[in-house]
DNA sequence: TCCTTTGTTGGACAGTCTGTCCAGGAACTG
DNA sequence: CAGTTCCTGGACAGACTGTCCAACAAAGGA
């Protein structure tokens, strides 16, 4: 690939990441991206159809990187994805924070989640059957993981990936069990 | 409150919901909202500073409604929020699907989640300590719940709230345990 | 009912961002 | 060095935003 192309594209990616961390995705304009990347606006459009195409390309790139780094550390149990993913996230903190971060724009879910968080917090000061499809289980687990990941990253990824993995495994092993000792 | 005000505002809310379900939040313009709501564009701006203000107002309204309907069915255990919330969601499917739905715009998370979902699915075909802060636990649970909720709504909320609540409780009681019987 | 208050409306406005196009100049490749 | 490919600024129409105003309509109390 032509050096100029490589330079331009990586500059654009870096600029998008940087701006997403401050203004959020929606608040970022193509003009700003080009200004930060020191690239002509015309040039932007010769590479990407629009802002979204740039983002999608970045995500695809992260996806490849993740899949590959995962391929190296194969573990064949459920939850095996946890540690590799956490490590990968820490290696690419900025990318992850920009793309998955709770900050700006990404999640309109934020406010509903906050309401819920209040409720759950309150209820945690006190507390079986089997009708589950695999689909629900997957969504449950992914949702839980993404939430924990986001939480971790937004606070600066202070804990080690290993600590977080352990925490996540504990939680997955039984949420209710974790909190019975507290009181009831 | 003046009848005209009430009429205008609820028309705007309804229009936003309707448009979010089709074009997504970001793809919806103030002009469209006004067209659908049969309201002058000038009028829009006498009520809300911008599109976001309208959305926030809608969310606040849902929040109030949820808190209230919750106040009626008090259960003092962890996970007590599950059933009331699911019922509330079903009563206001459109609102929830528009605001929390996976469809358009809301979650840039979508693609990362898909990558992860693939991985988890693959690993589910096969596999204790305690270092968890309460914060992580809350985020874990909320994330899991929101994910299940979104999944449920996006598929049309076919299952009953009770079924979903049971499923969620089972999962929370121990994800790993749920899937050991499958093979290993 | 009448009158005052309050809402609604279309139109006009400047400003921002988008996506497209082009022609001149720069950088790469062989 | 030559030919190809890329970068660039500038110009363009089009869409959307947020603000303002003057005319009109509806509400609700006296």
């Amino acid at each position: 690939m032509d050096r100029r192309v490589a330079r331009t594209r990586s500059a654009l990616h870096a600029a998008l990441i940087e701006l997403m961390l401050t203004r959020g995705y929606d608040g970022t304009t193509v003009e700003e991206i080009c200004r930060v990347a020191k690239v002509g606006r015309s040039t932007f459009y010769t590479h990407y159809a629009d802002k979204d195409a740039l983002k999608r390309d970045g995500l695809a790139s992260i996806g490849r990187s993740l899949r590959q780094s995962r391929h190296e550390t194969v573990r064949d149990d459920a939850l095996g994805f946890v540690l590799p993913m956490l490590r990968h996230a820490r290696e690419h903190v900025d990318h992850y924070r920009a793309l998955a971060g709770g900050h700006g724009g990404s999640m309109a879910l934020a406010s509903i989640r906050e309401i819920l968080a209040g409720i759950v917090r309150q209820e945690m000061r006190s507390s079986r059957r089997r009708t589950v499809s695999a689909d629900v289980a997957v969504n449950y687990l992914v949702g839980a993981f993404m939430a924990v990941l986001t939480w971790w990253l937004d606070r600066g990824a202070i804990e080690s990936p290993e600590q977080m993995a352990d925490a996540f495994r504990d939680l997955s092993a039984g949420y209710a069990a974790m909190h019975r000792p507290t009181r009831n």
Side-chain angles (χ1 to χ4, degrees), chain A residues 16-28 94-111 113-114 149-151 153-155:
Chain A
L16 177 59
I17 295 295
E18 181 183 331
L19 288 168
M20 280 182 73
L21 288 172
T22 54
R23 307 191 191 352
Y25 177 71
D26 291 330
T28 300
D94 283 350
H95 287 66
Y96 272 78
R97 283 196 52 211
L99 297 170
H103 174 272
S106 283
M107 347 182 52
L109 291 167
S111 29
R113 290 175 81 111
E114 272 176 358
L149 176 63
T150 299
W151 173 86
L153 294 174
D154 281 348
R155 289 174 61 257

Side-chain angles (χ1 to χ4, degrees), chain A residues 19-179:
Chain A
L19 288 168
M20 280 182 73
L21 288 172
T22 54
R23 307 191 191 352
Y25 177 71
D26 291 330
T28 300
T29 76
V30 174
E31 276 175 339
E32 281 176 325
I33 296 171
C34 293
R35 188 176 43 72
V36 171
K38 300 189 203 316
V39 160
R41 204 167 66 86
S42 320
T43 310
F44 179 98
Y45 287 104
T46 67
H47 290 277
Y48 302 102
D50 52 25
K51 197 175 59 167
D52 225 63
L54 175 59
K55 189 188 72 184
R56 268 183 281 112
D57 196 44
L59 252 74
S61 153
I62 282 198
R64 273 192 302 277
S65 159
L66 173 59
R67 264 183 281 266
Q68 176 180 333
S69 88
R70 209 185 93 72
H71 196 267
E72 294 160 6
T73 53
V74 184
R75 293 181 57 175
D76 197 28
D77 57 326
L79 267 45
F81 71 94
V82 173
L83 191 50
M85 175 103 183
L86 289 169
R87 286 187 175 138
H88 187 261
R90 182 176 250 190
E91 276 168 31
H92 309 281
V93 203
D94 283 350
H95 287 66
Y96 272 78
R97 283 196 52 211
L99 297 170
H103 174 272
S106 283
M107 347 182 52
L109 291 167
S111 29
I112 292 194
R113 290 175 81 111
E114 272 176 358
I115 293 167
L116 235 194
I119 293 175
V120 174
R121 235 177 243 113
Q122 169 190 328
E123 278 180 336
M124 254 177 52
R125 306 193 202 108
S126 49
S127 41
R128 111 217 345 120
R129 207 135 91 210
R130 171 92 59 96
T131 42
V132 200
S133 84
D135 245 20
V136 199
V138 170
N139 275 277
Y140 176 98
L141 198 60
V142 172
F145 182 74
M146 290 304 301
V148 170
L149 176 63
T150 299
W151 173 86
W152 183 51
L153 294 174
D154 281 348
R155 289 174 61 257
I158 299 165
E159 300 81 359
S160 74
E162 288 75 15
Q163 272 179 299
M164 291 307 293
D166 284 347
F168 189 77
R169 280 169 182 277
D170 283 352
L171 285 166
S172 302
Y175 173 81
M178 292 286 312
H179 294 282

